[in-house]
Amino acid sequence: MRILAVLLVALFLQSFTPARAESLVAGMSQNLVSIDATFVGSEILIFGAVKREAPIPEGEMGVVIVVEGPREAVTVRRKERRYGIYLNAESMDFYSAPSFYAVASSGPLDEVLSELENVARRITVDRAVWGWASADSPEEEEFASALIRLREDSGLFAESADNVTFKQKTLFDTAIELPANLTEGIYIAQIFLTREGSIVAEYGTLVQVRKVGLERFLYNLAQDQPFAYAMLSLAIAIAAGYIASAAFVFFSRS
Amino acid sequence: MQIYLPIAEISVNAFLLLGLGGMVGILSGMFGVGGGFLLTPLLFFIGISPAVAVATGTNQIVASSFSGVLAHLKRKTVDLKMGCVLLGGGLVGSALGVQLFAYLTSIGQVDLLVTLAYVVFLGIIGALMLIESLGAILRTRGGRTPAPKRRKHGWVHALPLKMKFRTSGLYISAIPPILVGMMVGVLAAIMGVGGGFIMVPAMIYILGMPTKVVVGTSLFQIIFVAAFTTTMHATTSRTVDIVLALLLIVGGVIGAQIGTRIGIRIKAEQTRILLALLVVGVCLNLAMDLLVRPSEPYSITVEAN
């Protein structure tokens, strides 16, 4: 099922890479991010080149790189003062918010990417979260910006201009920081080449983020066989309690 | 050393968790309390979500109360019959509590419930303990000994379904112990505590049990209620973090041994007043969250699919 999804996404990404005067080739430092017991976050290096079969065209060039994590439904809640205490009052559901979203670009985003392309392709963080044109009400916009702010604070959302270094108008590279609190799943990396703000070429690839080893075993056990998992937790607790008590008796005798 | 918790899905310092477990273990060894009421709020402070903190807290309690009850069984200070009656109520209460917890998690009010429960119960218990221990110190300074209490025959003795509890030397109705057990079971599920701090006073003042069997009997029934609650949390909300529990348990059992030794050396009145101040301190700290405008009023919950 998961492999099928990967293939479909890969096909989909392939399909919008038409043959043009310029095209992109890229690679990255890792296609698999493993979450193990000592995972404290990671970094993906994305590097690539602009392939040309004609002289360099006119127009200011830019590169925008987007890495997006699996989308999930989230609820944003706001605390308000009710009955003299602060408690969660208003809330808003986002049915499909990215769990991770990083944008890196070779220059200020409003310079390398036109507003039109951004709206159409939902590239910047606010567009990705707040997909459709603009907020319906200031209230909804407040919740959307709170979602973005909270995720930015925890390193899950990032937007950085000038983070893509360009060499000889051909080679480019960037580093995307992945924090420790990543959601497992398929991450999509997209690279856009722009001229005067319009997208002229793009390239897409996938990164898998998954728990490995003991972390994977325990997580799966907790999800698939919760009763067995509970028994394992209890067995460990009872054993620890027994050992502690036995050790106490041993040490108080000696 | 950072360690990634598979269920909490965050990376935390393993020594911080061992230290927390150890510190709570020392306190529980010194004062003879389970320490769940301190551990769960401390887990909130280091950024573990209430759902994981509460569920994992109950797992840690299984270890500490099991270790404690073995000593009491050896000294024959456990009223097994009373323990089973309390346990009957406790299991029902815990099942209700877990359902309530899961429901409130779904509507986003679980933090409020947990914080309110802590503020109310720690506030009451802490204030009572503070008054009592201050009184005890004043009395010893004054050189007077408290008048011996007479056994009261109140409403507890007027109820039907009477049972004989040989170890406690009681002949009372089974209804009050079942109700006490149930209330503590609900609290165990929503606060991630064993509930000894409610159970012990209730056993002495409501049920009239002799002091020497109270702690052992309370620990005995806490093991089963906590084990049941852990299983319920693991199967309904899947928020028991086994790695987190293990680190807390290891710290806790070592701490408890150290605490017991410290406890023997210091005076009873002093330890009681320290514990009372600690309880009031945790209570006030949590109350601030409710009363002071939060610096970040927004929060995100990922919906389970």
Side-chain angles (χ1 to χ4, degrees):
Chain A
M1 198 52 222
R2 179 167 284 177
I3 295 165
L4 191 67
V6 175
L7 284 174
L8 279 175
V9 174
L11 274 174
F12 172 73
L13 290 173
Q14 284 284 310
S15 64
F16 52 77
T17 329
R20 293 221 185 122
E22 290 177 303
S23 61
L24 286 167
V25 282
M28 57 184 129
S29 56
Q30 49 182 342
N31 288 87
L32 176 70
V33 176
S34 304
I35 300 179
D36 60 13
T38 54
F39 185 71
V40 288
S42 185
E43 193 184 59
I44 303 182
L45 299 171
I46 299 177
F47 45 87
V50 184
K51 202 162 83 182
R52 294 189 186 90
E53 268 140 43
I56 299 179
E58 290 294 299
E60 195 60 40
M61 191 163 69
V63 167
V64 181
I65 296 175
V66 176
V67 176
E68 181 181 342
R71 285 182 173 256
E72 57 197 4
V74 301
T75 305
V76 178
R77 296 195 168 87
R78 182 170 62 203
K79 281 202 165 88
E80 270 161 39
R81 200 180 173 127
R82 300 265 168 96
Y83 321 107
I85 55 172
Y86 284 92
L87 48 89
N88 284 334
E90 301 289 314
S91 72
M92 195 178 151
D93 295 332
F94 291 81
Y95 298 105
S96 168
S99 55
F100 175 85
Y101 202 88
V103 185
S105 53
S106 59
L109 268 171
D110 51 346
E111 284 174 24
V112 296
L113 191 71
S114 72
E115 190 56 26
L116 187 68
E117 291 277 20
N118 188 17
V119 171
R121 308 297 293 270
R122 298 179 185 176
I123 288 172
T124 52
V125 172
D126 52 341
R127 289 291 168 202
V129 171
W130 198 236
W132 48 101
S134 68
D136 292 341
S137 72
E139 181 79 341
E140 291 180 6
E141 205 179 320
E142 244 175 77
F143 278 99
S145 54
L147 172 63
I148 294 170
R149 188 180 64 240
L150 286 169
R151 292 226 151 140
E152 274 174 351
D153 289 347
S154 53
L156 289 169
F157 285 2
E159 215 174 75
S160 56
D162 302 327
N163 200 19
V164 177
T165 48
F166 229 135
K167 281 174 204 125
Q168 297 164 340
K169 293 187 173 178
T170 306
L171 298 173
F172 60 88
D173 67 86
T174 191
I176 304 280
E177 291 283 342
L178 302 176
N181 51 345
L182 280 185
T183 301
E184 277 190 290
I186 306 288
Y187 285 56
I188 301 168
Q190 280 174 286
I191 305 164
F192 301 98
L193 179 69
T194 62
R195 286 254 174 226
E196 297 292 336
S198 312
I199 295 170
V200 293
E202 62 189 274
Y203 180 89
T205 182
L206 302 170
V207 186
Q208 198 181 10
V209 174
R210 58 177 295 176
K211 295 191 175 98
V212 293
L214 190 63
E215 304 291 304
R216 170 141 219 96
F217 169 75
L218 291 175
Y219 181 80
N220 283 350
L221 191 65
Q223 294 299 321
D224 305 336
Q225 285 160 290
F227 189 74
Y229 179 83
M231 290 304 116
L232 179 65
S233 317
L234 293 178
I236 290 176
I238 296 283
Y242 181 76
I243 292 168
S245 159
F248 180 68
V249 170
F250 178 78
F251 284 116
S252 50
R253 264 189 208 141
S254 61
Chain B
M1 192 186 83
Q2 294 292 117
I3 190 154
Y4 185 85
L5 305 173
I7 306 296
E9 302 195 307
I10 56 165
S11 173
V12 278
N13 191 311
F15 295 114
L16 175 70
L17 291 178
L18 283 173
L20 274 185
M23 213 173 71
V24 172
I26 289 178
L27 293 170
S28 75
M30 271 169 76
F31 303 125
V33 294
F37 71 94
L38 288 171
L39 188 59
T40 314
L42 283 172
L43 292 179
F44 300 166
F45 295 147
I46 62 165
I48 303 216
S49 72
V52 174
V54 166
T56 308
T58 56
N59 192 16
Q60 188 266 343
I61 287 157
V62 174
S64 58
S65 48
F66 185 75
S67 164
V69 87
L70 289 175
H72 282 279
L73 278 174
K74 214 164 277 170
R75 277 184 261 151
K76 297 203 169 41
T77 49
V78 181
D79 185 337
L80 289 173
K81 195 170 173 189
M82 178 62 90
C84 292
V85 173
L86 287 166
L87 180 56
L91 296 184
V92 176
S94 157
L96 290 174
V98 171
Q99 297 306 321
L100 183 66
F101 191 85
Y103 169 71
L104 287 164
T105 306
S106 71
I107 62 160
Q109 296 300 2
V110 77
D111 307 30
L112 177 70
L113 171 81
V114 173
T115 317
L116 270 181
Y118 268 102
V119 169
V120 169
F121 285 100
L122 294 184
I124 295 171
I125 303 283
L128 287 176
M129 281 168 56
L130 204 59
I131 293 165
E132 226 232 66
S133 50
L134 280 174
I137 287 178
L138 289 179
R139 268 199 304 276
T140 42
R141 290 235 173 106
R144 278 180 292 141
T145 48
K149 258 187 279 176
R150 264 199 283 155
R151 277 248 168 121
K152 280 175 280 178
H153 278 259
W155 56 274
V156 171
H157 297 266
L159 293 166
L161 269 173
K162 287 205 171 188
M163 283 176 86
K164 195 162 257 160
F165 298 101
R166 207 172 291 274
T167 321
S168 305
L170 286 176
Y171 181 60
I172 57 164
S173 160
I175 295 171
I178 287 178
L179 288 179
V180 166
M182 224 164 105
M183 200 186 88
V184 175
V186 172
L187 292 179
I190 62 178
M191 293 170 74
V193 296
F197 68 101
I198 308 260
M199 180 68 93
V200 169
M203 284 164 131
I204 297 173
Y205 299 114
I206 299 175
L207 306 179
M209 287 170 66
T211 323
K212 72 171 166 70
V213 297
V214 161
V215 175
T217 310
S218 159
L219 282 174
F220 168 77
Q221 76 92 38
I222 283 171
I223 298 174
F224 294 97
V225 173
F228 179 72
T229 312
T230 306
T231 314
M232 291 291 285
H233 276 305
T235 49
T236 55
S237 56
R238 298 179 188 176
T239 47
V240 178
D241 195 306
I242 206 165
V243 177
L244 176 59
L246 186 64
L247 288 167
L248 295 175
I249 289 169
V250 170
V253 293
I254 297 169
Q257 305 301 340
I258 302 169
T260 317
R261 269 141 234 228
I262 301 173
I264 298 166
R265 297 216 183 108
I266 52 177
K267 280 188 188 164
E269 291 91 29
Q270 288 168 342
T271 51
R272 263 162 57 206
I273 207 158
L274 276 177
L275 181 62
L277 287 173
L278 196 70
V279 169
V280 172
V282 175
C283 165
L284 289 178
N285 208 326
L286 287 167
M288 294 296 274
D289 288 352
L290 294 175
L291 298 173
V292 177
R293 174 180 290 278
S295 56
E296 176 56 84
Y298 291 91
S299 62
I300 303 176
T301 325
V302 176
E303 304 298 323
N305 30 341

